[in-house]
Amino acid sequence: MEVCRACRLGCKGTIILSMCGYVAFSVGNFFASWYTLIPTSILLGLGAAPLWSAQCTYLTITGNTHAEKAGKRGKDMVNQYFGIFFLIFQSSGVWGNLISSLVFGQTPSQETLPEEQLTSCGASDCLMATTTTNSTQRPSQQLVYTLLGIYTGSGVLAVLMIAAFLQPIRDVQRESEGEKKSVPFWSTLLSTFKLYRDKRLCLLILLPLYSGLQQGFLSSEYTRSYVTCTLGIQFVGYVMICFSATDALCSVLYGKVSQYTGRAVLYMLGAVTHVSCMIALLLWRPRADHLAVFFVFSGLWGVADAVWQTQNNALYGVVFEKSKEAAFANYRLWEALGFVIAFGYSTFLCVHVKLYILLGVLSLTMVAYGLVECVESKNPIRPHAPGQANQAEDEEKQTKM
């Protein structure tokens, strides 16, 4: 799981190899069938976890290195690095949705829904009773191949750019952590699970779990039960562009302002924004003439999601500074579990029940996060560079709870 060390590829090599799994999945969709999509989906899943762990480790090490040279606090620079990263990452949702909307927009649009059927949209949607009335004409195979060609080409270009321009940090990481030789695979794998002895991690697993749940809700329930059910599938891409654009801009903003406000203020902003959206979604009865409201909700959701994406990763990198790879591996595990749960109950729970679940999980998440902040506030300030604190100090911090 700690791929940067276990596979002896370094973070750069891990990122390149893992991205090839994404390209393979795009290629598999050219010949969509069980025999192509299942194997390529497995490759995609196998590549996703090490990819995210490697890039989070890379950003954390680079941020701490920069902070040490500039004489700044490590956590501030790590926040800025993650903010810039998620600005670029979330902007991919803008370009991706714009491309798909323009390509598929060449097909005839969906028929207008009868007024009486709008009552089963939104929070009242149970088991998608209106699915048959919201079908759209299947796009031509030529348009499908055009879209897949654009996505596959973008993936190949990304792999080549990483290979050519990304600076390796494998030797820097080993030097900073004082490693004399490679750690055996099973030892690094075991260290991922040993980290659960740290009670802070046991509390913080709710953050990535909620992150996966709320992303799953937006990408499935909101786009289906609110946007598609009321406006039609042709509006999904544009609504998600609004989400991605807001998410991207807020990501870089939070990376800058966190050094002045602190992360707790940003977490409160994200929590209050999401709670407000959930309550409003429970009460709102969507209609086609409420067009602007659909974009307001997606934009506000992006404002809050940017908090979870930037601050969660930075928090894990700062709190578990000496076990970054193991911490990020656990982070991705629980975020992926959140996605699995969200998509798992998607087909048999009403939308209002899913909103209540999100409200409950978010409340528990903020309580657990608050406990960790209380513990961290009693600990001495961490050094700029990793490896400067001794093991006894780390063990003392873990047992204070």
Side-chain angles (χ1 to χ4, degrees):
M1 294 177 72
E2 295 184 68
V3 189
C4 289
R5 282 189 252 176
C7 295
R8 301 184 181 182
L9 293 174
C11 287
K12 177 178 178 178
T14 302
I15 291 172
I16 293 173
L17 183 62
S18 300
M19 289 176 68
C20 291
Y22 285 75
V23 176
F25 181 74
S26 297
V27 174
N29 277 270
F30 277 97
F31 314 97
S33 69
W34 284 99
Y35 304 103
T36 58
L37 294 182
I38 296 300
T40 54
S41 295
I42 294 175
L43 288 176
L44 178 63
L46 290 175
L51 173 63
W52 279 99
S53 296
Q55 69 88 9
C56 288
T57 301
Y58 189 100
L59 289 173
T60 302
I61 294 173
T62 307
N64 281 321
T65 302
H66 186 183
E68 184 180 7
K69 294 178 179 178
K72 298 181 178 180
R73 293 194 302 176
K75 65 178 183 179
D76 291 338
M77 292 308 303
V78 171
N79 265 314
Q80 290 189 34
Y81 272 59
F82 274 105
I84 295 172
F85 170 80
F86 279 103
L87 166 67
I88 300 172
F89 172 73
Q90 295 295 349
S91 69
S92 66
V94 176
W95 311 119
N97 282 297
L98 181 60
I99 291 171
S100 63
S101 297
L102 293 176
V103 171
F104 288 146
Q106 302 177 48
T107 59
S109 61
Q110 176 182 340
E111 296 180 359
T112 304
L113 271 179
E115 185 69 21
E116 60 272 12
Q117 297 201 17
L118 290 175
T119 57
S120 58
C121 294
S124 303
D125 185 11
C126 292
L127 303 181
M128 281 306 295
T130 59
T131 298
T132 55
T133 64
N134 282 289
S135 58
T136 58
Q137 181 178 342
R138 178 182 176 85
S140 68
Q141 201 64 25
Q142 180 181 359
L143 292 179
V144 173
Y145 285 149
T146 300
L147 186 64
L148 290 174
I150 294 173
Y151 288 163
T152 303
S154 300
V156 172
L157 179 61
V159 171
L160 294 177
M161 290 179 65
I162 292 293
F165 301 113
L166 186 65
Q167 180 181 358
I169 61 166
R170 178 181 178 184
D171 293 336
V172 175
Q173 178 185 2
R174 290 188 173 184
E175 180 182 352
S176 65
E177 295 182 358
E179 292 182 353
K180 302 299 182 181
K181 57 182 179 179
S182 297
V183 181
F185 170 75
W186 291 112
S187 176
T188 56
L189 180 63
L190 186 61
S191 69
T192 301
F193 297 100
K194 282 184 177 179
L195 198 58
Y196 285 103
R197 293 185 299 185
D198 189 335
K199 294 181 180 179
R200 296 171 302 173
L201 179 65
C202 296
L203 291 171
L204 289 179
I205 58 177
L206 287 174
L207 280 173
L209 179 67
Y210 173 74
S211 177
L213 286 173
Q214 59 90 14
Q215 290 181 76
F217 176 86
L218 181 76
S219 59
S220 59
E221 267 60 58
Y222 183 70
T223 57
R224 181 183 62 185
S225 300
Y226 287 87
V227 181
T228 302
C229 186
T230 307
L231 302 176
I233 198 172
Q234 68 272 18
F235 278 92
V236 170
Y238 297 110
V239 170
M240 293 304 290
I241 286 175
C242 181
F243 163 77
S244 298
T246 307
D247 205 329
L249 293 175
C250 288
S251 292
V252 70
L253 176 63
Y254 297 156
K256 292 288 186 181
V257 302
S258 62
Q259 58 185 310
Y260 305 108
T261 64
R263 60 180 176 239
V265 174
L266 294 178
Y267 272 114
M268 288 303 300
L269 171 64
V272 170
T273 303
H274 262 175
V275 168
S276 301
C277 286
M278 293 171 199
I279 294 175
L281 287 172
L282 284 168
L283 301 175
W284 181 44
R285 295 296 178 261
R287 296 172 52 89
D289 55 355
H290 296 167
L291 182 61
V293 181
F294 292 92
F295 291 90
V296 170
F297 275 119
S298 64
L300 289 174
W301 207 272
V303 169
D305 183 70
V307 174
W308 314 125
Q309 298 307 318
T310 59
Q311 300 307 304
N312 285 0
N313 285 279
L315 177 63
Y316 267 65
V318 171
V319 173
F320 308 105
E321 189 176 17
K322 294 176 70 67
S323 306
K324 291 180 290 293
E325 291 173 319
F328 286 131
N330 279 294
Y331 180 92
R332 293 304 159 189
L333 169 66
W334 286 97
E335 186 176 49
L337 182 61
F339 276 106
V340 171
I341 295 174
F343 291 128
Y345 62 49
S346 177
T347 58
F348 59 87
L349 289 181
C350 296
V351 173
H352 68 272
V353 175
K354 299 168 189 174
L355 285 168
Y356 286 130
I357 291 175
L358 283 180
L359 283 170
V361 174
L362 177 57
S363 300
L364 292 175
T365 299
M366 295 309 296
V367 171
Y369 163 73
L371 292 175
V372 173
E373 284 288 9
C374 289
V375 172
E376 288 297 292
S377 65
K378 299 176 183 179
N379 291 333
I381 299 176
R382 287 181 172 78
H384 291 177
Q388 293 180 3
N390 57 45
Q391 185 65 27
E393 291 174 342
D394 285 343
E395 292 177 356
E396 181 182 354
K397 294 173 187 177
Q398 295 179 18
T399 56
K400 278 187 177 181
M401 299 184 63

